[in-house]
Amino acid sequence: MMKIEGNIQGYSDRDLAKKFKQLQPSAQRQSALIDKDFEMLMADGYVIIKGLLTPSQCHDIKTTCLPLMAHKGRNEFEGESTQRLYNVLAKTRCIDRLADHPRILGLMDLMFRPNFLLSQSQVINILPGEKQQAYHYDDSFYQIPRPRAPLGAASIWAIDDFTEKNGATVVVPTSHKWDGQQRPTPNNVIKAVMPAGSVIFFLGTTWHGGGANHAKSPRLAVTHQYCEAFMRQQENYLLELNKETVKNLSPELRSLVGYSIHSPFMGMVNGQHPLRLLEP
């Protein structure tokens, strides 16, 4: 066992900030519904939650984001017939409430340590004729052998209906429990069919992929991915987002993009809390 020197014991899990104390979860992030969602998530590796967005909210996201989406994927994995919008938080506020939705953050509270982070955000529009994306699990770039606990998690929000034909996300139930040798087959995959306004939330160790679009219309979605506070984010929000943009984010979203501290001092700037950078 590693010897703990001096008085370090109890130091690494303390909130040392004097002015900017750790943000406490809102009451909305605790409920019987969230507990039930969590049970399903940990049993199956994913959970589908319906009715979190109204038709009006979906319409607003669609009308705001689609004009910003001019480029298709650069390779088969991104999807050569798929439009992707990166650096979304610098371009629009219309998906903020999906990133910090209390039903999602409540699940994160049960999974990860405090001050977990947003890892990346995208808007994804799968166009007609797109092929199925390769099966993968999202936190595979953290090269720690499986089986293991997830180090990331992801939400995919249906802005259009997800149907059998139009590219509904495919997911492999219980694959979060697999070791590093198992691979998906067509026989153990399901399609996340769900109406617009729903979300599928899955663990970073759950195998999945974007579905093939055999329909005549696109399938629009928003994804937010999260990670443990001590892992590196995929998206470098601290370079993407200027201070004025960050000031307009909710306190939760500021913390998620990196204006937070993982105790005792991961994320510091000049030995201080990064929120001090936003002061006049």
Side-chain angles (χ1 to χ4, degrees):
M1 180 180 296
M2 182 179 68
K3 183 180 179 182
I4 298 177
E5 301 289 347
N7 62 353
I8 285 180
Q9 190 169 17
Y11 176 76
S12 62
D13 57 355
R14 290 169 53 200
D15 185 357
L16 302 177
K18 290 185 170 69
K19 182 173 182 179
F20 295 105
K21 290 293 185 181
Q22 180 176 302
L23 190 64
Q24 296 302 307
S26 69
Q28 293 177 299
R29 287 162 62 167
Q30 296 181 8
S31 71
L33 283 175
I34 293 173
D35 291 341
K36 185 177 179 180
D37 294 338
F38 183 70
E39 288 180 14
M40 297 178 65
L41 174 67
M42 301 311 293
D44 298 334
Y46 73 96
V47 61
I48 293 175
I49 309 170
K50 298 179 180 178
L52 293 191
L53 299 178
T54 66
S56 176
Q57 287 174 306
C58 290
H59 174 76
D60 289 345
I61 291 170
K62 198 167 187 174
T63 56
T64 300
C65 290
L66 284 178
L68 301 175
M69 305 182 74
H71 301 289
K72 295 180 182 179
R74 297 161 290 189
N75 50 57
E76 287 189 359
F77 186 80
E78 285 189 329
E80 294 173 354
S81 294
T82 295
Q83 295 173 319
R84 291 178 182 265
L85 180 64
Y86 292 100
N87 193 16
V88 189
L89 299 186
K91 297 170 182 174
T92 174
R93 301 272 61 78
C94 74
I95 65 167
D96 287 10
R97 298 291 73 78
L98 282 59
D100 63 10
H101 196 287
R103 191 79 171 263
I104 299 299
L105 297 190
L107 288 172
M108 295 297 304
D109 291 334
L110 295 173
M111 286 176 52
F112 288 172
R113 301 181 192 187
N115 296 312
F116 52 82
L117 297 168
L118 191 64
S119 184
Q120 73 155 316
S121 304
Q122 287 185 42
V123 183
I124 302 173
N125 197 32
I126 297 182
L127 303 177
E130 181 60 278
K131 302 174 183 177
Q132 182 176 306
Q133 187 183 38
Y135 298 122
H136 62 284
Y137 59 97
D138 281 342
D139 68 3
S140 60
F141 43 77
Y142 301 135
Q143 297 183 16
I144 301 172
R146 297 176 60 125
R148 59 168 170 78
L151 298 167
S155 61
I156 298 180
W157 295 80
I159 308 305
D160 290 318
D161 293 338
F162 278 30
T163 71
E164 290 279 351
K165 290 186 176 182
N166 76 351
T169 301
V170 295
V171 62
V172 186
T174 72
S175 59
H176 62 300
K177 301 175 183 178
W178 288 0
D179 60 25
Q181 305 303 313
Q182 294 164 285
R183 295 293 184 272
T185 68
N187 295 327
N188 57 15
V189 170
I190 67 161
K191 293 183 179 180
V193 174
M194 53 185 178
S198 306
V199 62
I200 179 171
F201 184 84
F202 49 87
L203 304 175
T205 46
T206 300
W207 284 84
H208 67 283
N213 190 348
H214 300 297
K216 295 181 180 180
S217 57
R219 185 231 74 181
L220 187 66
V222 171
T223 181
H224 291 294
Q225 296 186 17
Y226 305 84
C227 65
E228 285 272 24
F230 51 87
M231 308 307 294
R232 183 169 182 175
Q233 297 154 281
Q234 297 173 69
E235 194 165 352
N236 195 326
Y237 293 106
L238 298 182
L239 291 180
E240 287 181 344
L241 306 179
N242 61 42
K243 292 180 184 179
E244 290 308 310
T245 297
V246 175
K247 289 177 183 179
N248 289 321
L249 302 181
S250 69
E252 289 81 6
L253 199 45
R254 283 183 213 145
S255 176
L256 285 167
V257 299
Y259 282 75
S260 55
I261 291 288
H262 175 58
S263 295
F265 39 62
M266 288 180 70
M268 68 177 176
V269 177
N270 194 29
Q272 296 182 313
H273 199 289
L275 282 174
R276 291 184 180 273
L277 295 176
L278 304 181
E279 294 183 315

